[in-house]
Amino acid sequence: MSLRPTWAEISLPRLRRNYALLRAAAPGVELMAVVKANAYGHNAALCAPALVESGARWLGVTCLDEGIAVRQACPDARVLLMSGIWQGEAEAAIEHGLTPVVWETAHLAEIKEAAAQRGIASFAVHVEIDSGMSRQGVRLDRIEAFAAALARTPHIHVEGVMTHFHSPEVLDDPATARQLENFDQALARLAAAGVTPSIVHAGNSATALTPAMTRAIAALGNKHGAAAMVRPGLSLYGYAPRFSGEGAAAENTELQPVLAWKTRVISLRTIEPGETAGYNATFHAEKPTRLALLPVGYADGLNRLLSNRGAVLIRGQRAPIAGRVSMDLTIVDVTDIDGVKLGDEAVILGEQRAERSWARITADELAAIEGTIPYEVLCAIGPRVPRRIAEDENGDA
Ligand SMILES: *Cc1c(COP(=O)(O)O)cnc(C)c1O
């Protein structure tokens, strides 16, 4: 086992609380807990069981491998393969009791063959409708053709029909209402062709946190005689979507980040005016400068765009990143922090006690520096960083 002092702490109490907050925010719809991409970098084997204990009956993953891993952690949960199946995967999906999303006739052919071979009469799938994102799903002009293909595939049973919104966090974007109308129309035309799902689902964290949308999706389910579901991901892990537009709510500040990413000071030196630090000497000391070395780099997912721009927390204060982030190491400037010593904890993401309060660095902050979204910051934390259950709940102050 590696004793390298770079790790991520996962707070299961926070994960459960975030789930409960979302539940309360979205009455009338079920919530599928999205745990794709290893629970957005948080470790699905830790997070998925906690979400199931909190009441999640459905878990969303992207692909077969993720589905098998989640199945091992959660033997009784329903697991949706949201990016469908690839050639040759239907048999394993059936074996592990995973539920694929389908929208290509090739998906149906794959499942039909595998189900027939295993003597399965009725394998549940969810059909995705492309209501306007043009990413995946049956296009509106292909609904009847797809329903006919389903009718030719007796081994398949359409349990759910779903769609995905492209801009649900832009509250005054009429595109979302149009997508919902398209979804409604698709459901009506599927019903006319004999396809009557028991669950309809749409949307993500932004949808779950927008009461008008959860009401609309609940009403849509009602209209089509189906249960309604929304699929939050990011918000489970404590990050609210960036709402914009008319009616944008204040940020949901009650959600709390589940992951803290930490490391320790492994070396210290003081450099003189005129000396430089790191690759290509992009950091120049103008005065005697105390530098601390951290065993974390871009190979761990600490983005190189944070070079000379990001910071970490040491002793409750910000230590700016000095020079370029290396593959495995990062130098920080601790000149203004008293008493830094070898072994001191450095927080890359998360909270640290400051004098009277808590200092914090969020994935939103790093995303802003990197020109990306918090999703990518969290998913980028690499497999070299072990995820551990947080020992104590210390960031509630
Ligand atoms: C990732 C994903 C979600 C969850 O989205 P968040 O923005 O993380 O809440 C929901 N539905 C589908 C189809 C997804 O791919």
Side-chain angles (χ1 to χ4, degrees):
M1 193 189 87
S2 165
L3 294 177
R4 183 172 178 252
T6 298
W7 72 99
E9 293 173 4
I10 306 299
S11 166
L12 297 180
R14 286 187 177 198
L15 181 66
R16 293 196 187 95
R17 199 154 55 232
N18 292 338
Y19 179 83
L21 283 167
L22 287 160
R23 272 256 46 92
V29 294
E30 179 154 5
L31 297 181
M32 172 182 292
V34 177
V35 294
K36 65 190 178 191
N38 204 19
Y40 293 46
H42 291 59
N43 190 333
L46 295 180
C47 295
L51 290 161
V52 168
E53 280 163 31
S54 301
R57 296 193 309 137
W58 281 91
L59 301 169
V61 299
T62 203
C63 57
L64 180 73
D65 296 19
E66 291 182 3
I68 292 172
V70 164
R71 170 58 71 230
Q72 269 155 12
C74 303
D76 300 320
R78 296 298 304 276
V79 179
L80 190 71
L81 305 179
M82 297 194 300
S83 298
I85 49 165
W86 190 238
Q87 266 187 346
E89 290 185 340
E91 194 163 338
I94 293 171
E95 183 188 330
H96 294 279
L98 308 172
T99 306
V101 170
V102 298
W103 68 92
E104 298 282 346
T105 49
H107 293 144
L108 305 184
E110 283 285 324
I111 294 167
K112 179 180 175 181
E113 196 185 312
Q117 254 171 27
R118 296 186 142 240
I120 299 213
S122 175
F123 184 62
V125 300
H126 290 205
V127 172
E128 179 150 356
I129 302 299
D130 178 4
S131 60
M133 187 164 172
S134 309
R135 185 171 71 171
Q136 64 180 48
V138 182
R139 287 178 61 80
L140 289 189
D141 60 4
R142 299 264 312 142
I143 300 274
E144 280 74 21
F146 197 75
L150 282 165
R152 290 192 300 271
T153 320
H155 300 277
I156 287 180
H157 152 67
V158 177
E159 175 189 33
V161 178
M162 65 180 282
T163 196
H164 199 46
F165 302 126
H166 59 70
S167 307
E169 72 285 4
V170 186
L171 294 176
D172 54 1
D173 189 338
T176 309
R178 267 201 310 275
Q179 284 196 265
L180 207 56
E181 278 165 33
N182 289 341
F183 188 38
D184 182 21
Q185 191 201 112
L187 288 166
R189 285 165 55 192
L190 282 171
V195 179
T196 52
S198 56
I199 314 172
V200 298
H201 51 106
N204 65 352
S205 294
T207 312
L209 289 166
T210 308
M213 284 305 297
T214 54
R215 276 197 300 274
I217 291 165
L220 196 68
N222 227 10
K223 176 175 172 188
H224 294 279
M229 187 157 67
V230 174
R231 307 177 302 262
L234 186 73
S235 51
L236 294 170
Y237 309 103
Y239 288 93
R242 290 233 154 180
F243 287 109
S244 66
E246 190 70 29
E251 298 272 296
N252 187 330
T253 49
E254 285 181 81
L255 296 170
Q256 286 188 304
V258 169
L259 180 145
W261 186 6
K262 299 180 179 177
T263 183
R264 291 190 188 282
V265 173
I266 59 163
S267 185
L268 282 159
R269 68 206 57 230
T270 300
I271 64 172
E272 298 305 322
E275 287 193 277
T276 67
Y279 279 122
N280 303 117
T282 63
F283 177 87
H284 300 258
E286 273 149 27
K287 55 179 184 185
T289 299
R290 187 87 173 136
L291 298 176
L293 185 64
L294 305 176
V296 62
Y298 59 79
D300 300 291
L302 188 67
N303 199 301
R304 198 165 162 280
L305 293 170
L306 297 168
S307 300
N308 287 312
R309 297 167 78 200
V312 302
L313 303 173
I314 298 178
R315 299 188 166 242
Q317 294 177 64
R318 287 181 166 256
I321 293 176
R324 296 230 161 115
V325 173
S326 304
M327 184 185 288
D328 310 306
L329 296 162
T330 297
I331 304 164
V332 295
D333 182 348
V334 294
T335 310
D336 296 333
I337 307 175
D338 281 341
V340 176
K341 57 180 190 352
L342 287 186
D344 276 359
E345 182 183 277
V347 171
I348 301 159
L349 262 184
E351 294 116 22
Q352 198 175 50
R353 204 178 246 311
E355 238 168 56
R356 266 185 225 89
S357 56
W358 290 85
R360 56 174 49 83
I361 295 177
T362 65
D364 290 313
E365 180 187 328
L366 298 192
I369 299 172
E370 296 169 17
T372 185
I373 51 178
Y375 299 76
E376 191 179 1
V377 171
L378 295 170
C379 292
I381 302 171
R384 198 164 69 182
V385 180
R387 273 64 162 180
R388 301 181 187 144
I389 295 179
E391 270 178 20
D392 55 331
E393 182 53 347
N394 62 355
D396 282 346

